[in-house]
Amino acid sequence: MKRAAFALVAALAATPAIAQDPSAGSGQAYPSKPIRLVAGFPPGGNVDVVGRIVAQKMSEGLAQQVLPENRTGAGSIIANEFVAKSAPDGYTLLVVSGAFVTQVATLKKLPYDPLRDFSFISTIVTYPLVFSVRADSRFRSLDEFIAHVKSSPGKINYPSPGMGTLYHLAGEMFVSMAGIDMQHVPFRGGSEPLTEVLSGRMELLIDALTNSYPQIQAGKFRPLAVSSSARAPSLPNVPTVADSVPGYEASSFLGLAGPAGMPAAVVERLNREVRRVLGLPDIGQRFAEWGGAPTASSPEEMQRRVSAEIEKWKKVVAERKLELL
């Protein structure tokens, strides 16, 4: 009898915990109602599109609707704050973007703590930046571009969607590590940087591969280099920035997070679902079409990545003596 009881206890201990709904009566499995998935950028951008794809697939696996919701403004700060201050019950989640880490390095104050006020669940996709010129540009390699800038210090500009964005900081790091003098011209987001280079008013575009890839495929842009440590599978013939500037690496990611204090079992259930979704063949193919790669992680790995990215960009801001906004 004692042996049977011991076996039962051991079996129960080995069984994965079932997430209980923290907002409903005990014993009810999570989720028991629809989940909001908040994105801080307008519909149509890569943050919104990836969020909607993942939401649809998660809805199927969780047997509850995961409803995308756009809360735009202040470069995603409004959405981040909204989620940080929501109930930690697993029913309000956030699509974390690259802006989440760069804002910490460039803004004097945020209405939330990026590490203490969130429960990290998993990264979703990782993608490099791509350094591109117009298809008919005189520059056929990044080495040629660097040599030209060195011969004309301070006369070449590069655009970005705004001060303190990932693209701005990636440019500042490039200028510093390449030992060149190139001026940054900020715009107010949107497609203006891309338009500036397409029009010929500026020479170099530093943008997410997910944004530039359609223009590259259409023959409007010539990619000179990707910012990742290895070549991008979607552009296998394009070298890395590090081939010209040793040690250079910059990439962005999207991830899933919720308010701090979410029950561990709920975080684990959501992490398991994200891993299932990212393992679907059609998801990998769709992400690859945009130059991204499915990148599931543990909650701890995502938190470490966020922390490391914050420190990396803080260092760039300090070295370049950029004024905090």
Side-chain angles (χ1 to χ4, degrees):
M1 185 71 178
K2 288 183 179 179
R3 188 176 301 168
F6 178 79
L8 177 60
V9 170
L12 290 172
T15 302
I18 296 175
Q20 302 299 316
D21 188 337
S23 67
S26 60
Q28 190 167 2
Y30 168 89
S32 62
K33 62 182 181 180
I35 299 168
R36 305 160 87 177
L37 181 57
V38 180
F41 294 93
N46 64 314
V47 176
D48 173 73
V49 171
V50 169
R52 290 178 184 276
I53 291 172
V54 172
Q56 178 188 349
K57 296 296 185 179
M58 288 181 68
S59 296
E60 297 168 3
L62 295 171
Q64 283 288 348
Q65 285 187 302
V66 179
L67 303 172
E69 180 178 317
N70 299 88
R71 285 183 174 259
T72 61
S76 79
I77 291 175
I78 289 175
N80 299 346
E81 181 183 14
F82 174 76
V83 173
K85 295 179 178 178
S86 296
D89 54 10
Y91 289 100
T92 304
L93 304 177
L94 174 71
V95 181
V96 175
S97 70
F100 189 88
V101 294
T102 57
Q103 287 161 344
V104 186
T106 56
L107 299 178
K108 293 179 181 178
K109 189 175 181 180
L110 287 169
Y112 50 82
D113 185 288
L115 294 174
R116 290 198 302 265
D117 291 344
F118 294 88
S119 294
F120 296 104
I121 297 166
S122 175
T123 51
I124 296 172
V125 60
T126 300
Y127 49 90
L129 311 183
V130 59
F131 288 42
S132 300
V133 294
R134 210 166 71 165
D136 59 356
S137 170
R138 54 188 158 166
F139 304 116
R140 306 198 68 85
S141 72
L142 191 60
D143 286 333
E144 287 183 9
F145 178 81
I146 291 172
H148 176 76
V149 178
K150 285 184 175 180
S151 69
S152 306
K155 295 183 180 180
I156 303 297
N157 301 329
Y158 76 96
S160 86
M163 293 288 293
T165 58
L166 174 63
Y167 315 113
H168 170 211
L169 297 187
E172 293 288 349
M173 187 166 70
F174 172 63
V175 166
S176 177
M177 294 181 68
I180 58 178
D181 182 3
M182 187 169 63
Q183 303 303 309
H184 170 241
V185 180
F187 289 88
R188 294 185 177 181
S191 60
E192 288 178 286
L194 184 147
T195 302
E196 287 296 303
V197 176
L198 276 179
S199 68
R201 288 188 289 270
M202 294 192 191
E203 299 270 15
L204 181 71
L205 179 68
I206 301 174
D207 201 358
L209 181 54
T210 49
N211 295 334
S212 294
Y213 194 60
Q215 304 293 337
I216 293 170
Q217 284 188 307
K220 295 180 179 180
F221 276 125
R222 175 187 297 145
L224 300 182
V226 292
S227 67
S228 46
S229 56
R231 295 192 179 198
S234 54
L235 296 174
N237 297 321
V238 176
T240 67
V241 177
D243 289 331
S244 301
V245 183
Y248 187 95
E249 189 278 329
S251 60
S252 191
F253 69 96
L254 300 180
L256 191 66
M262 285 172 55
V266 172
V267 172
E268 190 279 332
R269 177 69 184 93
L270 290 168
N271 179 273
R272 189 157 26 100
E273 182 58 23
V274 171
R275 289 178 181 275
R276 183 194 70 81
V277 170
L278 297 183
L280 298 173
D282 59 325
I283 293 296
Q285 182 179 346
R286 294 187 73 175
F287 286 1
E289 289 171 357
W290 304 324
T295 315
S297 74
S298 69
E300 295 78 18
E301 287 169 337
M302 182 179 175
Q303 183 165 20
R304 286 196 294 270
R305 178 165 191 167
V306 169
S307 180
E309 290 283 316
I310 288 172
E311 292 307 311
K312 175 178 184 171
W313 297 120
K314 278 185 174 181
K315 183 179 178 181
V316 170
V317 169
E319 288 180 347
R320 296 293 296 163
K321 296 182 172 58
L322 302 179
E323 185 176 349
L324 296 181
L325 303 176

